[in-house]
Amino acid sequence: MWAKGIAMSQRNKFAFALICMGAMLSAHPAAAHAALVEAQTAQAIRLHAVYDTGAPMSHAQVIIFAPDDPARPWGQGVTDRDGRYDFIPDATEGRWSVQVRHAGHGAIVHVNIGENMPMIVRSSVETGWLNRLLMVVLVAWGALGTALFAVSRNGRRDASA
Amino acid sequence: MHLPDGIVPVEMALAGYGASAALASLSLARVRALPDPQSEIPRVAMLTTVFFAASLIAVPVPPISVHLTLAGLMGVMLGWFAFPAILVGLFLQAVLFGHGGVTTLGLNGVILGVPALLASGIWALMGQRWPVPAAFLAGGGGVAASLAIFAGIVLAGLPLALDMQAERVALSLFTAAHLPLIVAEALIVAGALRLLRRVEPRLLPHG
């Protein structure tokens, strides 16, 4: 009887030990509620995509190509309502290419990432209204000259005939 | 409705150059067959300027703005001269304003030049007998044909990495925003022909 009691006690101890181990193991997932957050500064590329009218390219698709693989996209995204999109490139140095497109319209901008990181890069040179007007006047002048030349030549030909 | 550089694959851009070169050769051959092609040069020069400057006019149609194409007007007024004139205008727009692209010049020539030739055909068939409906059909049809060709090229050249559904939705909105332009350009062609008939009938297309 006493020996049986001892045996029962050992079994209880063993069971108790098993329950404790199970409790410890089951406590492991609960530890996942704890969180570890690291914060570090990083240099990001900020895009601002607009049409030539100045209207933002809202919800346009962004495709990013890293310098080491210009064929496969490194990342993708969508611009916000104001045509803005931010991304943090990895440490790959060289010329990053970013394409922004929306309904068949868009542009590609190249960003050189290295020691001297540029702050502002534009996909094309902006032309002001004065420049545009000047170009139209120059082209109109050229066309008018062509027209007048053709008219005068026809006139001379008619006169000589 | 101009494709910029870098939007379509290189193969498509090259195919566009090939198609434009073929259409330009055909157009110039037909021009050479005209009795006095030299006499048309003033009209071609003036309308090329009008087409070139039209890219500056942006009409806001929320959420985007649309540009005049003038494909119908060019076709009706210039006939076979329209295609080379449009190519020259597109080249100047791309080089001076960055409107469109140099690599996509051939495709843009197809997008605007083919509708101009269609408009020219409509005018040649109907212009003498029914000038007003022909003008409306050529002007509006020019924009509709440009939209269809533009959308077809964009869809055919979509990169696999792109969200196809999002681009299709964007393209549908873009097309819908251009529907008022169909009416506007129909009115422009009809109005221009009416004005020329009153002011300078010698500039009218012969049909």
Side-chain angles (χ1 to χ4, degrees), chain A residues 47-51 55-64 76-86 98-107, chain B residues 7 64 162-163 166-167 170-171 173:
Chain A
L47 304 173
H48 186 208
V50 293
Y51 293 106
M57 287 183 73
S58 311
H59 313 300
Q61 296 201 57
V62 181
I63 309 176
I64 306 158
Q76 282 178 265
V78 178
T79 60
D80 64 11
R81 182 183 276 195
D82 298 325
R84 294 186 190 279
Y85 182 76
D86 299 347
V98 186
Q99 187 185 75
V100 183
R101 57 183 291 161
H102 188 250
H105 293 77
Chain B
I7 286 290
I64 63 164
L162 213 65
D163 182 348
E167 189 67 3
L171 204 56
L173 287 173

Side-chain angles (χ1 to χ4, degrees), chain B residues 80-147:
Chain B
W80 286 103
F81 278 100
F83 197 86
I86 283 173
L87 274 185
V88 171
L90 285 172
F91 175 73
L92 291 172
Q93 287 173 355
V95 172
L96 297 179
F97 298 155
H99 198 74
V102 176
T103 59
T104 51
L105 183 63
L107 286 172
N108 286 328
V110 172
I111 289 169
L112 293 171
V114 170
L117 293 180
L118 285 175
S120 168
I122 290 170
W123 182 257
L125 282 174
M126 301 171 54
Q128 291 280 9
R129 196 179 285 182
W130 305 290
V132 176
F136 273 95
L137 194 59
V143 181
S146 289
L147 271 175

Side-chain angles (χ1 to χ4, degrees), chain A residues 52-53 61 63 73 76 99 101-106 108 127 129 132 135-136 139-140 143 146-147 150-151 153-154 157, chain B residues 3-4 6-7 36 39 41-42 45 49 52 56 58 65 96-97 99 150 154 158-159 161-163 166-167 170-171 174:
Chain A
D52 56 359
T53 56
Q61 296 201 57
I63 309 176
Q76 282 178 265
Q99 187 185 75
R101 57 183 291 161
H102 188 250
H105 293 77
I108 294 180
T127 50
W129 268 103
R132 286 181 157 223
M135 288 176 198
V136 170
V139 172
T146 309
V151 167
R153 198 174 160 190
N154 284 343
R157 198 170 53 188
Chain B
L3 284 170
I7 286 290
D36 187 12
S39 64
I41 287 179
T49 307
F52 165 75
L56 291 179
S65 61
L96 297 179
F97 298 155
H99 198 74
F150 177 85
V154 170
L158 284 181
L162 213 65
D163 182 348
E167 189 67 3
L171 204 56
F174 175 82

Side-chain angles (χ1 to χ4, degrees), chain A residues 1-21:
Chain A
M1 186 70 184
W2 186 74
K4 192 179 174 184
I6 289 174
M8 285 289 286
S9 171
Q10 280 176 339
R11 270 207 301 273
N12 285 345
K13 280 181 182 173
F14 183 67
F16 179 72
L18 276 176
I19 289 167
C20 286
M21 280 179 69

